[in-house]
């Protein structure tokens, strides 16, 4: 008898606790930038979204490819929008969308579009799913703004790359030799992506692991300046073609090392730049 009473009392307590637990939210609101789109079924799309609170997520936009879809214009590539998302069993579903910033120049100009594609591709490759990183979200949103109006798309992109590496845990060492740790002097140096920064001439010429290549003092000064200053401070910089090329080589070698491959979007940027 006591056992039956105890079991009945325990069941009552458990039921009370469960009833007091907050129910899981079935919908949530978030801002997001559209990184990728993939057609799904006859009229749907699977979206890769970068959000400030949830990081990178994937969601289904039902009926978005239909001519009468109200969400289509708010979920274009690079667009920053406010979304209402419903949690689904297999995948979340975008039920409402409202544009915050369309970044229209990135869709109207092929060269700007290629740089925009590269910037969102970098975020996609450097961020895992469902990992919050508000600074990276803010960086991407600002970078897309910069690309819409920049008169030096290469310099803008180099600044974005350098900041992205730092925020992702791969900040380049540009002030001390990464082999001996000594402060480098004002002269041409070496750079090694595997070591994560600059190497003094003496260490660079005899570096046992290889992979080091020369970097000029001018290019190193620009990298240092970009690492420690705001984007607005770059507006007065005027770089030669040679320095632009050197900066691109340094940043691409560093990025390719961490990703262990070269991005097709980076190749596309160079192709469009040559054609244009």
């Amino acid at each position: 008898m006591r056992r039956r009473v105890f079991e009945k009392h325990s069941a009552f307590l458990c039921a009370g606790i469960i009833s007091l637990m907050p129910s899981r939210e079935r919908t949530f609101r978030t801002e997001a930038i559209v990184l990728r789109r993939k057609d799904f079924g006859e009229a749907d799309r699977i979206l890769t979204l970068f959000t400030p609170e949830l990081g990178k997520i994937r969601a289904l936009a039902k009926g978005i490819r239909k001519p009468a879809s109200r969400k289509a214009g708010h979920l274009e590539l690079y667009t920053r929008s406010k979304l209402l998302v419903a949690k689904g069993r297999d995948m979340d579903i975008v039920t409402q969308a409202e544009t915050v910033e369309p970044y229209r120049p990135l869709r109207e100009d092929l060269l700007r579009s290629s740089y925009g594609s590269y910037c969102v591709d970098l975020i996609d490759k450097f961020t895992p799913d469902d990992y919050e990183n508000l600074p990276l979200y803010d960086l991407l949103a600002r970078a897309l703004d910069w690309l819409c109006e920049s008169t030096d798309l290469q310099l803008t992109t180099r600044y974005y790359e350098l900041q992205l590496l730092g925020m992702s845990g791969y900040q380049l060492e540009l002030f001390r030799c990464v082999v001996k740790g000594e402060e480098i002097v004002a002269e041409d140096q070496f750079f090694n992506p595997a070591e994560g920064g600059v190497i003094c001439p003496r260490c660079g010429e005899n570096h046992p692991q290889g992979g080091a290549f020369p970097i000029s003092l001018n290019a190193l000064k620009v990298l240092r300046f970009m690492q420690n200053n705001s984007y607005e401070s770059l507006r007065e910089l005027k770089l030669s073609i040679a320095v632009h090329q050197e900066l691109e080589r340094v940043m691409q070698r560093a990025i390719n090392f961490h990703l262990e491959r070269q991005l097709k979007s980076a190749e596309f940027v160079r192709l469009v730049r040559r054609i244009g």
Side-chain angles (χ1 to χ4, degrees):
M1 180 66 178
R2 285 185 179 177
R3 183 176 181 182
R4 286 199 299 269
V5 171
F6 175 77
E7 290 177 347
K8 184 177 180 180
H9 183 64
S10 299
F12 175 77
L13 287 176
C14 289
I17 292 172
I18 291 173
S19 66
L20 292 174
M21 292 176 65
S23 59
R24 187 185 179 208
E25 292 292 334
R26 299 301 301 170
T27 62
F28 61 91
R29 295 185 181 275
T30 184
E31 188 173 287
I33 297 173
V34 181
L35 303 183
R36 293 186 181 279
R37 305 182 305 174
K38 181 180 179 181
D39 290 348
F40 182 76
E42 295 183 358
D44 306 336
R45 279 199 179 113
I46 297 176
L47 307 175
T48 300
L49 306 169
F50 196 52
T51 72
E53 304 92 357
L54 305 170
K56 188 172 65 178
I57 63 174
R58 287 174 177 79
L60 182 65
K62 289 189 173 182
I64 193 174
R65 289 156 56 203
K66 292 181 179 179
S69 173
R70 295 182 179 181
K71 297 191 292 288
H74 303 285
L75 295 171
E76 297 286 346
L77 284 176
Y78 325 133
T79 303
R80 181 159 58 104
S81 299
K82 292 181 179 179
L83 309 179
L84 179 63
V85 183
K87 290 186 178 292
R89 179 184 299 178
D90 300 316
M91 184 175 295
D92 295 342
I93 300 171
V94 177
T95 58
Q96 295 179 16
E98 178 184 357
T99 300
V100 175
E101 178 54 60
Y103 303 114
R104 197 174 302 279
L106 300 186
R107 294 196 296 275
E108 296 175 344
D109 180 272
L110 180 59
L111 183 58
R112 292 184 191 275
S113 179
S114 67
Y115 277 103
S117 177
Y118 171 66
C119 287
V120 299
D121 198 16
L122 272 184
I123 283 282
D124 189 20
K125 296 299 188 296
F126 271 98
T127 54
D129 292 350
D130 305 314
Y131 183 79
E132 177 189 355
N133 195 323
L134 181 57
L136 268 184
Y137 181 85
D138 289 339
L139 175 65
L140 178 59
R142 285 184 284 126
L144 296 177
D145 269 326
W146 300 334
L147 291 175
C148 287
E149 60 181 23
S150 175
T151 58
D152 191 339
L153 294 171
Q154 292 187 70
L155 185 60
T156 297
T157 304
R158 300 292 85 80
Y159 183 84
Y160 170 76
E161 291 170 332
L162 193 60
Q163 300 301 318
L164 173 63
L165 284 177
M167 292 180 185
S168 301
Y170 304 111
Q171 180 159 309
L172 300 181
E173 175 55 70
L174 303 173
F175 293 87
R176 293 183 176 277
C177 173
V178 294
V179 176
K180 291 189 174 182
E182 298 176 356
E183 187 173 353
I184 58 176
V185 298
E187 61 181 343
D188 294 347
Q189 309 289 332
F190 285 82
F191 183 87
N192 192 328
E195 297 290 343
V198 292
I199 299 176
C200 68
R202 184 171 55 183
C203 293
E205 293 171 354
N206 303 295
H207 196 46
Q209 295 183 8
F213 58 92
I215 178 174
S216 70
L217 178 60
N218 286 339
L220 181 57
K221 284 182 176 180
V222 176
L223 286 174
R224 284 177 161 187
F225 184 81
M226 290 194 296
Q227 190 176 72
N228 291 334
N229 290 276
S230 66
Y231 175 75
E232 287 67 27
S233 62
L234 303 184
R235 297 181 186 276
E236 303 303 319
L237 290 182
K238 303 295 181 183
L239 306 184
S240 67
I241 294 176
V243 171
H244 266 308
Q245 292 174 340
E246 192 172 2
L247 291 175
E248 184 174 39
R249 181 170 66 253
V250 170
M251 295 308 301
Q252 286 295 296
R253 293 277 292 271
I255 289 169
N256 293 346
F257 172 79
H258 291 298
L259 295 180
E260 299 182 349
R261 58 173 162 164
Q262 184 173 5
L263 296 181
K264 292 183 179 179
S265 56
E267 297 176 5
F268 184 67
V269 167
R270 289 189 284 272
L271 175 62
V272 174
R273 201 167 60 210
R274 286 197 300 269
I275 295 173

